[in-house]
Amino acid sequence: MTVTAVRETEPALGRAPAPAAQGSPLTRGRRRLFWPFVAPALVLYTVFYILPTLATAWISLNKWAGAGPMEFAGLDNYRRLLLDPIFHDSFANTLTILFVVGGATFALSFLLTMILRDMAGRKAVRSIIFFPNIVSGIVLSILWGFLFQADGVVNQALRAFGVDDPPNWLGADNLFSIIMIGLVWVQTGFYTTILMAAVDRIPKDLYEVCDLEGANAWQRFRHVTLPLVWDVVGVCAVLWSISAIKIFEFIYAFAGAAGQLPPTKVWNTALYAYAEAFAGGVPKYGSAAATGMVMLALVGVLVVLLRRMFRRDPVQF
Amino acid sequence: MATTRRLPGPFTRPLRLPGPARLLGSPLAWLFALFSVAVAVWMLLTSLKSTRAIFAEPWSLPADPQWDNYARAWTASDFAGATLNTVVLVFGAAATTIALSAPAAYALSRILTRWNSGLTAFFALGLGIPSQVIVLPLYVMMNALYLVDSLTGMWILYVATSVPFTVFFLTGFFGSLPRELEEAAALDGASPNRTFWQIMLPLARSGIITVMILNVIQHWGETLFGLIFLQSEENATLSLALLGFLQRMQFNGADWGGLFAGVCMVVLPVLACYIWLGRRIIEGMTLGSVK
């Protein structure tokens, strides 16, 4: 999914009409358009998005193979998830992606933003590092996986530098780390771009004052840059949480063969949900739905926490 | 701080000594960017090599370019059919999405009723719901409607799932257009309906094109819905054709050259689009996050 900020939705309420205009024929004519304009999108969205979400909540409380009768099971599906070691791995991986990949991506994005702030060719660099972001996850995964093959490019390069015994990158122990590094590579451009846009809005004279005061780079960052882009960092954190939980294709295609899932050690909850419902055997819609609800809950909790964490009085500048 | 060596004044630029961080910084940034370029160039070169050459000399230029990698990928995995499917599906869905979302976004941002903020928030809710959460009931629903393994079904799903973002994006965009033009149109006797179609919609053209590009790019490489809702080969989209190719390689022996030709076919249109409309794409994707 493409993402944009989930922020307070205010654009609709820019200016209220003057009280005198409230009841004019024109206003009434405009009002009559409201529902015909909104309804088609609203109906489609509700039928294909909101109702399925509610249905998933209901399915998660049932034992169901997709066809035939549903059997109410209460919280059994959730209990099964709690006991399933594969789900534990998947959930742990989701959290690792969220925090480790997220942390690395944000650190790198901040670093790049600071470097790019007054560097020649900043636009070119930004455009290049943004690009992987819009390439299909399948393609990125195939490319990334191929680079790390046993006789692939990375190892050939390492051998040229005299490393004779490079690690088995795609072995069970390293695969997830390779996936995480790949995700950082793909994501960094997006957050760098957003942060750059925010940093560009900081007036230059604030930095000039810093120079006059003799502040070092870290102090400049800590006392000027960070506080002034804090809101944007908050928005980025929300965007990252939402998109991190959805990551699917990039891991899925790492199996090397379609129709076959990668080793369970690298699954995240998105893959787990898919596998429970669609990957051979008797479909377990109930536990797939429960996994979906866990993902949704995780998004919800993170968004609420992040909004609370990043809430503070806006700084005018 | 203790001493300021320079006094502020009209002719004194603040001292910018290139410290070690600055000296190291810009090569570092270039290195990071060049890595992506190298991967892309490597992908292109590899798509022109034989499988043996890919492993024997991964760093060299293709000695004799294997153009038939493309021919093989194009026919063997029916990329031709997949491309056609993807083009029709993706552009059709993007156009339909706009047709439904633009009026809704206009109404939400410009026609004030007591419903505006609630409904706008309701649409924004969709941005936070992962698609994995909704696929199960959707599958049951589409199955009941005989729309599984049908491009029409995918069309509907793509439109429905693009609506929240598109409405959200366009609500912001319409909100930023000058109000005076609407008032002028009304004074000239245009009906509200006509004002929308003939004044506001053309004015919002650039926002509409931007969000359309974003939808096209996003669906071009979409895989999850494709995997679940499309089964037969003649309905495959480009991502599925690529996965099919990958799968067949397990049985027919490795044809990495052909695979990378397939990868290029999926990436190059996006790359062309990006080179052509790059700034617009970046601005569109990041809009809304920075005031």
Side-chain angles (χ1 to χ4, degrees):
Chain A
M1 261 224 61
T2 327
V3 279
T4 288
V6 183
R7 48 166 58 246
E8 293 296 354
T9 44
E10 319 161 289
L13 304 174
R15 264 185 286 163
Q22 205 98 51
S24 76
L26 181 66
T27 325
R28 265 181 283 129
R30 283 165 60 81
R31 289 259 175 85
R32 266 201 292 274
L33 277 183
F34 185 79
W35 287 110
F37 271 22
V38 174
L42 186 66
V43 168
L44 199 71
Y45 167 63
T46 311
V47 169
F48 286 90
Y49 228 119
I50 299 301
L51 292 183
T53 307
L54 299 176
T56 300
W58 169 244
I59 296 172
S60 78
L61 300 175
N62 287 273
K63 192 169 177 300
W64 193 32
M70 264 194 191
E71 197 183 311
F72 186 77
L75 294 176
D76 267 7
N77 288 319
Y78 294 92
R79 205 168 300 137
R80 274 211 18 226
L81 292 185
L82 272 180
L83 298 174
D84 183 358
I86 297 180
F87 180 79
H88 293 174
D89 285 352
S90 307
F91 191 72
N93 285 344
T94 298
L95 291 183
T96 314
I97 290 175
L98 261 169
F99 295 110
V100 177
V101 175
T105 303
F106 276 69
L108 195 56
S109 303
F110 261 120
L111 183 70
L112 280 171
T113 307
M114 292 301 105
I115 294 171
L116 291 174
R117 195 164 64 83
D118 44 17
M119 182 183 125
R122 62 204 296 268
K123 288 247 168 72
V125 169
R126 188 192 66 173
S127 303
I128 294 169
I129 64 176
F130 189 86
F131 181 65
N133 222 293
I134 62 173
V135 175
S136 136
I138 292 278
V139 165
L140 293 168
S141 177
I142 291 174
L143 282 175
W144 193 246
F146 193 80
L147 291 180
F148 289 93
Q149 290 236 330
D151 39 6
V153 181
V154 172
N155 281 356
Q156 302 239 4
L158 284 177
R159 284 200 195 96
F161 284 106
V163 183
D164 287 329
D165 191 19
N168 176 14
W169 303 111
L170 302 182
D173 297 334
N174 296 321
L175 187 54
F176 193 65
S177 313
I178 295 296
I179 290 176
M180 293 205 295
I181 298 171
L183 287 171
V184 174
W185 165 54
V186 175
Q187 303 286 338
T188 298
F190 179 72
Y191 296 98
T192 305
T193 305
I194 298 185
L195 290 173
M196 258 176 79
V199 168
D200 281 348
R201 291 173 57 246
I202 300 174
K204 288 266 181 294
D205 46 332
L206 289 177
Y207 288 104
E208 288 171 5
V209 172
C210 282
D211 286 339
L212 291 174
E213 299 281 336
N216 63 29
W218 168 249
Q219 287 167 326
R220 263 203 313 266
F221 175 74
R222 173 72 191 79
H223 295 291
V224 179
T225 312
L226 198 55
L228 292 182
V229 298
W230 191 242
D231 310 4
V232 178
V233 176
V235 172
C236 287
V238 170
L239 290 179
W240 166 248
S241 310
I242 292 173
S243 59
I245 287 167
K246 290 197 264 213
I247 288 169
F248 175 80
E249 287 99 332
F250 193 82
I251 303 178
Y252 178 85
F254 254 88
Q260 205 176 312
L261 289 160
T264 53
K265 269 185 96 171
V266 303
W267 286 10
N268 64 352
T269 43
L271 254 103
Y272 186 89
Y274 174 81
E276 288 287 280
F278 298 105
V282 181
K284 290 173 242 159
Y285 274 26
S287 68
T291 312
M293 294 322 285
V294 171
M295 288 164 69
L296 191 58
L298 197 55
V299 174
V301 167
L302 283 168
V303 170
V304 169
L305 283 181
L306 286 170
R307 295 195 63 129
R308 175 160 301 192
M309 226 173 97
F310 283 91
R311 187 172 53 200
R312 54 111 210 243
D313 299 325
V315 179
Q316 298 288 331
F317 62 92
Chain B
M1 289 271 132
T3 49
T4 41
R5 251 169 274 135
R6 302 179 67 122
L7 291 170
F11 301 111
T12 49
R13 301 283 306 146
L15 196 65
R16 282 207 184 284
L17 279 175
R22 271 171 58 84
L23 273 181
L24 265 174
S26 87
L28 216 70
W30 275 111
L31 216 63
F32 190 74
L34 286 179
F35 175 74
S36 295
V37 175
V39 171
V41 170
W42 175 82
M43 171 192 85
L44 280 170
L45 293 181
T46 304
S47 75
L48 291 173
K49 289 182 188 175
S50 66
T51 296
R52 190 213 298 248
I54 291 173
F55 289 102
E57 57 244 10
W59 292 92
S60 70
L61 291 168
D64 78 293
Q66 309 275 317
W67 293 102
D68 64 313
N69 282 347
Y70 282 83
R72 220 165 42 248
W74 185 253
T75 49
S77 261
D78 196 17
F79 268 84
T83 306
L84 183 69
N85 287 345
T86 309
V87 167
V88 171
L89 186 60
V90 157
F91 285 91
T96 318
T97 306
I98 300 293
L100 289 167
S101 305
Y106 173 74
L108 287 174
S109 63
R110 280 309 174 78
I111 304 178
L112 296 179
T113 67
R114 79 184 95 130
W115 297 93
N116 296 69
S117 62
L119 282 178
T120 312
F122 182 65
F123 275 111
L125 204 63
L127 300 176
I129 302 177
S131 32
Q132 286 91 354
V133 174
I134 56 172
V135 288
L136 281 179
L138 281 182
Y139 187 80
V140 175
M141 193 153 84
M142 299 305 270
N143 207 10
L145 297 170
Y146 299 101
L147 287 173
V148 168
D149 198 20
S150 119
L151 290 173
T152 317
M154 283 294 274
W155 184 316
I156 297 174
L157 287 179
Y158 278 178
V159 172
T161 48
S162 310
V163 159
F165 172 72
T166 311
V167 168
F168 176 81
F169 184 97
L170 289 178
T171 306
F173 196 84
F174 276 117
S176 70
L177 291 180
R179 189 166 294 263
E180 287 73 19
L181 284 162
E182 264 174 307
E183 286 161 7
L187 287 176
D188 285 344
S191 72
N193 195 21
R194 211 173 138 200
T195 307
F196 170 68
W197 295 104
Q198 293 198 330
I199 313 279
M200 298 310 278
L201 205 56
L203 273 178
R205 199 175 48 220
S206 78
I208 286 175
I209 292 173
T210 303
V211 75
M212 221 170 139
I213 296 166
L214 296 181
N215 279 330
V216 165
I217 285 177
Q218 181 207 327
H219 289 145
W220 188 260
E222 201 280 335
T223 312
L224 179 68
F225 281 1
L227 273 174
I228 293 172
F229 291 98
L230 294 175
Q231 287 138 5
S232 59
E233 197 165 314
E234 77 253 22
N235 283 335
T237 56
L238 273 174
S239 311
L240 297 185
L242 193 60
L243 280 170
F245 200 106
L246 198 59
Q247 184 174 31
R248 224 157 304 131
M249 273 174 45
Q250 304 299 110
F251 302 108
N252 302 348
D255 177 9
W256 288 99
L259 179 76
F260 280 101
V263 165
C264 285
M265 285 183 219
V266 180
V267 177
L268 290 181
V270 179
L271 181 63
C273 188
Y274 187 68
I275 289 173
W276 179 33
L277 301 162
R279 229 188 65 207
R280 183 169 235 169
I281 293 171
I282 292 180
E283 276 168 11
M285 281 187 83
T286 52
L287 184 115
S289 11
V290 187
K291 270 169 279 181

